[in-house]
Structures are given as C-alpha cells and as structure tokens.
Amino acid sequence: MDYIQGFDRKQEILFPAKIDDYIEEENLVHFIEAFVALLDLMVLGFTHAEVNSTGRPSYNPADLLKLYIYGYLNRIRSSRKLEKECFRNIEVMWLLKKLAPDHKTIADFRKNNPVAIKKVFKEFVLFCKELDLYGGEVVSTDGSKFKAVNSKKRNFNAEKLLQKLKDIEEKIAAYLKELEENDKIESSIKLPDAKELKEKIQQMEERKKEYEGLQKTLETTGETQISLTDPDSRMMMGNQKFDVSYNVQTTVDAKNNLILDYEVTNEGNDKNQLNEMATRAKDILEVESLEVLADKGYYNPEEIRKCTENNIIPIIPEPKPKQFKEGNVPEPEYYENQFKYDSNKDVYTCPGGRELAYSGDSIKNKKNMREYKSDCCNTCEFKSKCTTNKNVRVIFRWEHEKVLEDMRERVKNNPDSVRKRNCMSEHPFGTIKRGFNQGYFLTKGLVKVAGEMGLTMLAYNIRRVINILGMNKLMEIMNPG
Ligand code: SF4
C-alpha cells in the first residue's frame, strides 16, 4: 500500500478556460460582488468614486472595497498580505477581475475612507433590517477593548513622567559622580570611558527635555494621558490587564444576535455610553420603545434616567459592594438598602421600625436629593449601630430614585437577563477577537480606527447572515428572478 499521490508536475493538463469556472455557486465572493454593486459609492463619500476625466486612471473604489470585505472575512487585513492575495488567490482574482493594486494603494484606500467605510456597515444593517433580521424589542449594549497601534512604553501620564524624570536625574547624578572620580585619577591613568559618559549625560538631558515637554503638554491640554504613536489611544483596563487601546461599544439585537450599531471611543469605562448607544439603536430600529440589557459597568443613575425619559427600558444589575459600603454606618444591617421606602406615604421605615419623613432638599454629589429624618433617633436603642453622626440619621433620596427602584424590580423579575446579555454581546466580541483574530487595530487615530472597525463589524454581520439564511437564499434575495 502506498500513500495517496499527487499528479506529475511535468504532465500537461488543461485548466478550465474561464476564471468563473473555478468559483462555485455558493462562494462568498458572489455575495460580496452583489452587495458592493448595490452601493452608491459616490453618495457614501468614497474617494475616486467619480471617474477622473484627466490624468492617470485610478482604481475603482468598488474593487478596493471588495478586496477589503473579502480580506476581513478571511482574516487577511494587512495591505501587503492583500496585495499578495491578488496574485495567488483565485477567489480574489475572480472578485477583482485579476486586478492587482499595490499595497500602498490598498492601504491608502482604508486610510482615506474611514467615514465611507462606516457607512457601508450601516448600509448592511439597513439591508438586514429590510430582511426583518432585527427584532427591535431587546438589544444588548457592551464594550470591549481593542489594542491600539501604540506600545505601553509610548504612553505617558503625569505620574509616569515624574518617575521618568526622577530616574533621569538619578542617572545623570550617577554619571557625573563617575566622571568626577575619573577626573581625579585622570592625571595618572587616562580612563577611556570619559567621553562615553559625557555622551550618556547628553542623551539623558535630551530625554529629560522631551519628558518635560510632555509634562507641559499634559498641563496645557488638561488631558490625563499622552500616547505618542497613536495620539487618540489611551491606556485602559481590559481583560484584567492594562494596555493602550480603544473602547469599542456595540449594540446587538436579540432576535439573531446581529450587530446593530457600534462606536469606537477612547474612554476607558462604559459609564457614559448607555443612553447614547441605546438611543441610536432605537432610532435605527425606528421603534417606540426598546429594552436594553447591559452589565454593571453601565450602571450610571443619570444615564439610566435619560434612557427611561426616552422610552428606553434598561435592565442593568446594580454593582453592590461599592454601592452599599457606608463609612458612617457601623453595622451592615443598618445600611441604606435596609431602609424601606413607602411611595404612598413618602416615608422610609428604618430597621428599628421607625418612620423617617421628608425634611428638606440638598445637593449631594451634584445631584438633587430629598432628605428623610426621624425624631426618634436620639432616643433610639440602636443608634450606635445605625450611625456615628452626633445628630439623627439622614437618608438621602435622589429626586429620580424611582427610576432606579423600578429598574431593581425589573432585574429581579428577569433573572435570565444577565445570561441573555452574555450570549448576545459576548458572542460577537469573542468571534471577532478569537475567530477573526481582529482584537487589535492596524490604523491610527479615532476616525480611522472607527472606519477599520466598520470592516470588522461588517464581516461579522455578513458571516452571521450567511449562517442564518444560507448562501443560496441570500443570493436569491440579492438577485431576484
Ligand atoms: S437611629 Fe434612627 S434611623 Fe437608626 S434605627 Fe434608630 S430610629 Fe431608626
């Protein structure tokens, strides 16, 4: 028994005469071709979407867009790799009719069209919406960190700069000391490294100037960080470790786990994103009301209030540990969450069984508060457990507290919401980062990375729609009749 043999390389064979014969009917490239043909690239704002009347002809943006969509669907993102594929990949040859742009042309297309590329993602969302693939009832909002083109070493904050300057001072002092000691013995033995030491001191002085310049920039701009390679990127926590990244926000619709919308921000946390993302989702879906699931990172009373005013119903678990840690309350049984509010009487009942009535307004943490007090505190047998205050115990109620109480109730009545949210939001991020290997950016600057992310999100949605409908059905929709 022998191994399976390949054919003889010297033997003459006849390849099919048409490139089309190599591409099977269900091949993804048919969909890419048909989808790009539907787009009005001039309206979307692509450069060179209009044919030049003079000068050297440029590549059609449709061809470059097709190349990128194909690349992002197949884990090929670098312009040099895409250039190579034009020569050796039969699917790309079919898609681009054997055109082979050089890597610079390919890279420039992505760099120069970030806004238009983002609109292509939106066009696909609208296409999916027409196919009724979005349910429009429940969405999940989530954020994930994607690594920027900026190493940790090239990111600075005030503290890091101070430490760097301190280190330099110490190094310069050490070099100077060494130099001085060398000078003392120079008369008898000429040491060879004096010149070298002076050069090192010079280098340190230059670096010191650079760091001082960065310190000044931080002071004048009011920024907390500076990134030198990609100025828009920021050091932030993701997956339990710090890295220089961007925070990518998505909303995912519950019906088919399709991405509805995304935004790239350089804010390290998700606290201020809820209302913006949920409102945009509601507008895209054109619905009267929308339920939005999010994790504890989005728990921000003000954002929750804005959502409810906008007919958006958030379901977000409360981050308990910090919320209820109260420095002036000795015993946890007397923490604020143990006081029960009666909305009919507008009073709180304390764990000691006394009622605390409304006693006036105040401002706390920039929020308008209503204060509740009891006359019984000073004679109460539980006072030492309840408060360290000399006066009575005060309960502060945010003027919109009802919004949070209603949400607590919703969280309680929807115990499955956390699991549901995990399935909805973490699936796209997991697929994008591990399946597509696209957990890091190749471009720089907020606008460009947002464009690049458009290609990633589009690739995810295309794969998902093919999984849902199947290639044949999708092509029937694209080419009716
Ligand atoms: S100190 Fe006041 S609030 Fe606390 S248990 Fe006693 S009566 Fe209630």
Side-chain angles (χ1 to χ4, degrees):
M1 181 81 78
D2 202 352
Y3 291 117
I4 298 169
Q5 298 293 312
F7 68 86
D8 180 354
R9 291 192 182 103
K10 303 260 163 84
Q11 187 189 321
E12 285 191 11
I13 51 165
L14 285 175
F15 282 109
K18 289 181 286 166
I19 203 167
D20 205 31
D21 292 339
Y22 289 91
I23 304 297
E24 68 278 24
E25 266 184 23
E26 315 78 62
N27 194 306
L28 190 65
V29 290
H30 286 294
F31 171 74
I32 300 174
E33 173 79 14
F35 172 61
V36 173
L38 285 179
L39 303 172
D40 187 334
L41 300 189
M42 216 184 310
V43 171
L44 295 179
F46 278 95
T47 51
H48 302 299
E50 203 171 357
V51 181
N52 292 339
S53 52
T54 55
R56 205 164 152 254
S58 52
Y59 281 99
N60 187 337
D63 287 324
L64 293 162
L65 180 61
K66 282 187 252 178
L67 178 61
Y68 267 115
I69 296 176
Y70 178 87
Y72 274 69
L73 276 160
N74 289 283
R75 300 168 56 124
I76 312 162
R77 293 193 294 158
S78 107
S79 51
R80 284 179 192 274
K81 284 185 182 162
L82 286 168
E83 178 187 315
K84 257 190 192 165
E85 294 304 307
C86 294
F87 292 103
R88 68 182 183 191
N89 182 328
I90 195 77
E91 292 176 339
V92 175
M93 286 179 190
W94 182 92
L95 200 55
L96 265 70
K97 298 179 185 157
K98 284 204 77 186
L99 288 173
D102 64 274
H103 66 87
K104 187 165 181 319
T105 307
I106 297 170
D108 284 349
F109 175 80
R110 182 173 51 194
K111 213 164 66 184
N112 297 335
N113 291 290
V115 178
I117 289 171
K118 206 172 172 194
K119 287 182 189 165
V120 173
F121 164 78
K122 289 182 182 169
E123 288 293 313
F124 190 71
V125 168
L126 294 179
F127 171 75
C128 295
K129 195 177 154 204
E130 275 174 32
L131 298 183
D132 207 19
L133 293 173
Y134 291 110
E137 290 173 2
V138 182
V139 297
S140 158
T141 296
D142 200 8
S144 188
K145 310 296 171 4
F146 284 67
K147 206 185 157 338
V149 186
N150 198 102
S151 72
K152 283 193 224 175
K153 279 186 183 166
R154 308 255 306 150
N155 173 277
F156 301 90
N157 58 21
E159 206 181 324
K160 191 170 170 185
L161 284 169
L162 264 182
Q163 186 59 47
K164 290 265 177 206
L165 285 167
K166 193 171 159 245
D167 293 348
I168 286 177
E169 295 288 356
E170 282 170 10
K171 273 188 190 156
I172 290 176
Y175 288 145
L176 285 172
K177 196 171 169 218
E178 225 176 300
L179 206 56
E180 199 181 312
E181 278 164 11
N182 284 359
D183 285 346
K184 277 184 201 159
I185 48 175
E186 207 170 19
S187 48
S188 52
I189 312 154
K190 177 88 179 151
L191 282 179
D193 59 348
K195 190 175 164 232
E196 206 181 303
L197 281 172
K198 280 181 185 162
E199 275 171 11
K200 278 186 177 168
I201 291 171
Q202 175 70 22
Q203 277 172 12
M204 288 294 134
E205 292 288 0
E206 278 164 19
R207 210 171 291 167
K208 190 177 156 194
K209 249 189 222 160
E210 190 194 334
Y211 292 145
E212 283 169 346
L214 294 176
Q215 263 185 332
K216 203 161 218 159
T217 311
L218 278 182
E219 277 165 26
T220 49
T221 58
E223 292 283 347
T224 53
Q225 294 183 32
I226 287 185
S227 296
L228 297 183
T229 313
D230 178 351
D232 289 343
S233 61
R234 293 287 176 269
M235 182 76 83
M236 48 182 86
M237 172 78 101
N239 276 338
Q240 318 288 331
K241 61 179 172 62
F242 278 99
D243 218 330
V244 185
S245 310
Y246 285 96
N247 184 356
V248 178
Q249 297 288 312
T250 57
T251 41
V252 177
D253 183 86
K255 185 174 180 184
N256 285 304
N257 287 358
L258 275 168
I259 298 168
L260 180 70
D261 189 19
Y262 77 92
E263 194 54 77
V264 184
T265 78
N266 56 9
E267 273 188 48
N269 66 51
D270 302 328
K271 279 245 173 305
N272 301 317
Q273 309 297 337
L274 182 72
N275 182 51
E276 164 83 12
M277 292 307 290
T279 305
R280 276 167 47 164
K282 189 170 158 258
D283 291 345
I284 297 169
L285 292 164
E286 296 176 287
V287 288
E288 285 299 311
S289 71
L290 186 64
E291 197 170 278
V292 58
L293 311 179
D295 65 23
K296 289 174 188 168
Y298 287 84
Y299 192 92
N300 175 344
E302 197 49 49
E303 288 284 303
I304 292 164
R305 180 189 67 80
K306 283 187 210 161
C307 278
T308 47
E309 277 182 3
N310 199 12
N311 236 2
I312 292 164
I313 307 145
I315 302 186
I316 306 169
E318 209 164 356
K320 280 186 181 140
K322 258 190 181 169
Q323 189 79 3
F324 296 126
K325 200 172 173 210
E326 292 166 31
N328 57 352
V329 182
E331 300 287 338
E333 302 89 75
Y334 293 82
Y335 280 2
E336 202 171 305
N337 62 333
Q338 302 297 324
F339 286 65
K340 303 281 170 265
Y341 181 66
D342 182 335
S343 58
N344 293 326
K345 289 163 76 179
D346 190 26
V347 295
Y348 275 94
T349 304
C350 72
R354 275 79 170 213
E355 284 187 350
L356 283 76
Y358 168 71
S359 64
D361 297 325
S362 61
I363 292 176
K364 201 178 169 194
N365 299 330
K366 295 184 189 159
K367 285 196 218 156
N368 292 335
M369 296 289 189
R370 288 165 63 81
E371 291 185 9
Y372 292 78
K373 292 176 187 163
S374 162
D375 298 334
C376 309
C377 289
N378 286 328
T379 54
C380 173
E381 64 272 37
F382 307 116
K383 193 178 175 198
S384 61
K385 293 179 180 178
C386 184
T387 181
T388 52
N389 286 350
K390 277 188 192 142
N391 299 323
V392 299
R393 174 76 187 263
V394 184
I395 294 293
F396 294 91
R397 180 180 170 84
W398 181 38
E399 61 176 344
H400 302 293
E401 191 66 26
K402 174 89 171 68
V403 164
L404 300 182
E405 285 167 352
D406 289 348
M407 197 176 71
R408 260 175 231 133
E409 206 53 31
R410 284 196 295 275
V411 172
K412 211 166 83 188
N413 297 334
N414 290 279
D416 257 6
S417 63
V418 172
R419 190 192 50 78
K420 195 171 168 187
R421 188 209 67 82
N422 288 350
C423 294
M424 284 165 69
S425 277
E426 288 176 12
H427 180 262
F429 281 135
T431 308
I432 285 167
K433 288 186 170 179
R434 283 176 284 283
F436 291 5
N437 190 27
Q438 291 176 22
Y440 57 95
F441 287 109
L442 300 176
T443 52
K444 288 178 268 181
L446 201 48
V447 176
K448 290 189 183 109
V449 296
E452 191 188 340
M453 187 45 66
L455 287 164
T456 297
M457 298 281 165
L458 175 65
Y460 173 85
N461 270 358
I462 291 176
R463 280 269 176 236
R464 187 90 197 109
V465 170
I466 291 171
N467 286 345
I468 298 162
L469 298 177
M471 197 55 196
N472 289 337
K473 171 100 175 121
L474 190 58
M475 287 314 294
E476 265 175 46
I477 295 164
M478 301 297 288
N479 302 311

